[in-house]
Amino acid sequence: MNILVVNCGSSSLKYQLIEMEKQEVVAKGLAERIGIEGSRVEHKATGKEKLVVEEALEDHKKALEIVLNSLVDDEYGVIDSLDQIDAVGHRVVHGGEDFAKSTLIDDQVMKVLEANVELAPLHNPPNIMGIEACKELMEDTPMVAVFDTAFHQTMPAVNYIYALPYEYYEKYKIRRFGFHGTSHQYVTERAADMLGKDLDEVNLITCHLGNGSSITSVKGGKSYDTSIGFTPLEGLPMGTRTGNMDPAIVPFIMEKENLSPSQVSNLMNKESGVLGISGVSSDFRDLEAAAEEGNDRAQLALDIFEASIRKFIGAFLTEMDHCDGIVFTAGVGENSITTRERVIEGLASLGLKIDKEKNDMRGKEAIVSAEDSSIKILVIPTNEELKIAQETVRLTQN
Ligand code: ADP
């Protein structure tokens, strides 16, 4: 059984074709600069040469057409015909309160997705374009939407209502939604497995640390609280996003700098975070290298990022009677040995202890806590595509 997983951004389309019996990626690639000059598709099937198509991609449909042609290509492809794609799984960023689970896509679902555009104006429209392109090019293939927000729909009101007049929740659905849900869910399931626990018995704190970052408190295998909020701006400082700060700063800067709502939103989303603090880069590898060379502001950005992770871990520990594991995942969590080490060393007062030798690796599943650590520390490479494919199989097989 082959599942095509599609993840559309405003000018990109990432895909993987996953063979589900062996859970193997048989082809994957990326179309980029869709609708912009210099667009291209990179496609790579396992065991074959990479194919690069440099061609104008006026929209997501054109990009998908080239992807599908590449998948069935005699030389670079892996399947004989598109009939060998059994179903398509789409990543959708925002499901609002309407989707607590992944769902089979039909006309009614499309209407609800459209209605949720207001909640994620940057992310949901390209997700919808990707679905529509697939519907046109693969008419009879079933499709599933897997939402970044769905895993967090189990949060209780105490963790999702903001201290604003309640009518704003009722009128505009202003509440915490949580993001990176597919990743938090995937690592939760893997962690339960690695710890030999039933999913509904496992309590975890999962730290998804990438370009965008969020931390989730998982109780009984379900999301109970999460750091990120109504939009992906809340919580930890990220590559270019502020994370938490005094909300009064926003009108203050708007007045001082004479900024419009969209300008201040751009400032907080694109020019802040560790990039804003350091003035060096939003990329954690660049920051680590600059800090190593003695750049104080790069070091300060890393210090603030790590301190913020510790504060969330500390706060989330108060929400559970015991914690079975703290999980590190995503680009930084999987690969940055020093981030893991420094975060955990700063939590020594809670009895947390890392085993430096075990922690001395990147991008592999491992338990890296010392034997006498109060809580197990796990590194789990995330695999959102596989989770989307699994959800797609689950929903199309029933
Ligand atoms: P995205 O949110 O874009 O999916 P990723 O989860 O891929 O992001 O994470 C990207 C981040 O991971 C980048 O800031 C990158 O520098 C960081 N990263 C990747 N490898 C390393 C490494 N070896 N050490 C430190 N940071 C790393």
Side-chain angles (χ1 to χ4, degrees):
M1 172 172 238
N2 294 312
I3 303 293
L4 180 65
V5 176
V6 176
N7 179 359
C8 283
S10 56
S11 64
S12 68
L13 184 158
K14 290 188 207 151
Y15 64 94
Q16 289 192 1
L17 187 68
I18 303 182
E19 196 286 308
M20 292 308 286
E21 276 78 42
K22 293 194 192 133
Q23 302 210 335
E24 255 173 32
V25 178
V26 288
K28 65 178 182 178
L30 163 73
E32 51 190 353
R33 300 181 66 83
I34 298 171
I36 311 173
E37 208 182 318
S39 50
R40 67 208 294 270
V41 177
E42 266 188 44
H43 164 88
K44 172 88 176 72
T46 309
K48 305 213 166 152
E49 291 287 302
K50 180 155 114 183
L51 170 70
V52 178
V53 182
E54 285 176 345
E55 201 175 312
L57 306 172
E58 61 271 19
D59 54 20
H60 287 76
K61 186 177 163 200
K62 179 71 194 171
L64 187 69
E65 228 171 71
I66 294 181
V67 168
L68 296 178
N69 286 341
S70 312
L71 286 170
V72 296
D73 188 85
D74 285 343
E75 194 177 342
Y76 299 99
V78 276
I79 48 178
D80 302 324
S81 88
L82 294 182
D83 294 341
Q84 290 172 5
I85 298 176
D86 296 282
V88 184
H90 291 272
R91 175 188 183 219
V92 180
V93 169
H94 215 310
E97 287 191 328
D98 298 296
F99 299 106
K101 292 206 160 79
S102 312
T103 183
L104 260 177
I105 297 172
D106 59 18
D107 291 346
Q108 181 54 29
V109 168
M110 291 307 285
K111 280 195 194 131
V112 181
L113 290 182
E114 294 281 357
N116 278 329
V117 161
E118 199 183 40
L119 291 173
L122 298 180
H123 294 100
N124 274 25
N127 298 156
I128 292 172
M129 282 189 264
I131 295 173
E132 276 167 354
C134 279
K135 269 168 71 172
E136 282 180 48
L137 298 170
M138 308 166 76
E139 227 175 300
D140 298 322
T141 311
M143 293 197 285
V144 168
V146 180
F147 303 94
D148 264 24
T149 47
F151 181 59
H152 299 297
Q153 279 292 305
T154 48
M155 278 191 294
V158 67
N159 290 333
Y160 71 68
I161 293 291
Y162 289 112
L164 281 165
Y166 195 78
E167 69 199 67
Y168 291 108
Y169 167 58
E170 294 171 313
K171 268 208 299 205
Y172 304 123
K173 286 281 170 274
I174 295 179
R175 52 159 287 175
R176 180 187 312 287
F177 285 104
F179 295 89
H180 306 128
T182 310
S183 173
H184 288 291
Q185 184 175 9
Y186 174 81
V187 299
T188 293
E189 290 169 7
R190 287 299 311 132
D193 200 43
M194 287 165 74
L195 295 168
K197 292 216 128 206
D198 287 341
L199 187 58
D200 56 6
E201 282 181 359
V202 77
N203 287 357
L204 303 165
I205 294 174
T206 52
C207 307
H208 176 107
L209 311 175
N211 198 12
S213 297
S214 66
I215 301 194
T216 295
S217 145
V218 175
K219 275 204 334 194
K222 297 191 170 82
S223 172
Y224 181 76
D225 200 353
T226 192
S227 62
I228 224 166
F230 174 59
T231 74
L233 198 53
E234 200 188 349
L236 304 167
M238 309 183 205
T240 59
R241 298 186 208 135
T242 57
N244 289 347
M245 61 180 194
D246 181 344
I249 295 169
V250 180
F252 187 87
I253 296 183
M254 287 175 81
E255 272 187 27
K256 288 280 183 202
E257 301 270 321
N258 197 19
L259 299 184
S260 66
S262 70
Q263 285 170 321
V264 80
S265 169
N266 196 56
L267 171 77
M268 294 189 297
N269 277 290
K270 306 242 168 90
E271 297 169 26
S272 301
V274 292
L275 168 67
I277 301 168
S278 67
V280 171
S281 173
S282 63
D283 190 290
F284 282 81
R285 275 168 299 201
D286 298 346
L287 290 173
E288 287 184 5
E292 189 96 338
E293 284 166 17
N295 185 311
D296 290 341
R297 268 170 54 196
Q299 187 59 57
L300 179 63
L302 293 171
D303 290 347
I304 292 172
F305 179 67
E306 289 157 11
S308 177
I309 298 168
R310 285 193 290 267
K311 286 180 199 175
F312 273 105
I313 292 176
F316 286 172
L317 282 174
T318 68
E319 296 181 337
M320 44 184 82
D321 60 5
H322 76 280
C323 180
D324 299 301
I326 294 176
V327 180
F328 287 92
T329 190
V332 181
E334 293 162 22
N335 296 304
S336 174
I337 296 163
T338 52
T339 300
R340 293 194 299 254
E341 195 174 295
R342 287 160 41 112
V343 165
I344 298 301
E345 283 183 349
L347 293 168
S349 60
L350 298 174
L352 280 155
K353 223 188 253 182
I354 202 154
D355 181 320
K356 285 193 183 180
E357 265 177 43
K358 289 184 186 154
N359 186 49
D360 190 19
M361 59 84 199
R362 304 178 199 278
K364 277 192 302 208
E365 276 190 359
I367 296 179
V368 299
S369 39
E371 288 301 322
D372 57 346
S373 177
S374 55
I375 301 171
K376 293 253 190 326
I377 299 152
L378 297 88
V379 178
I380 304 179
T382 195
N383 196 338
E384 287 157 291
E385 290 79 12
L386 180 59
K387 184 74 210 150
I388 292 171
Q390 287 167 342
E391 288 290 283
T392 305
V393 171
R394 185 174 66 79
L395 281 157
T396 51
Q397 293 306 292
N398 290 334

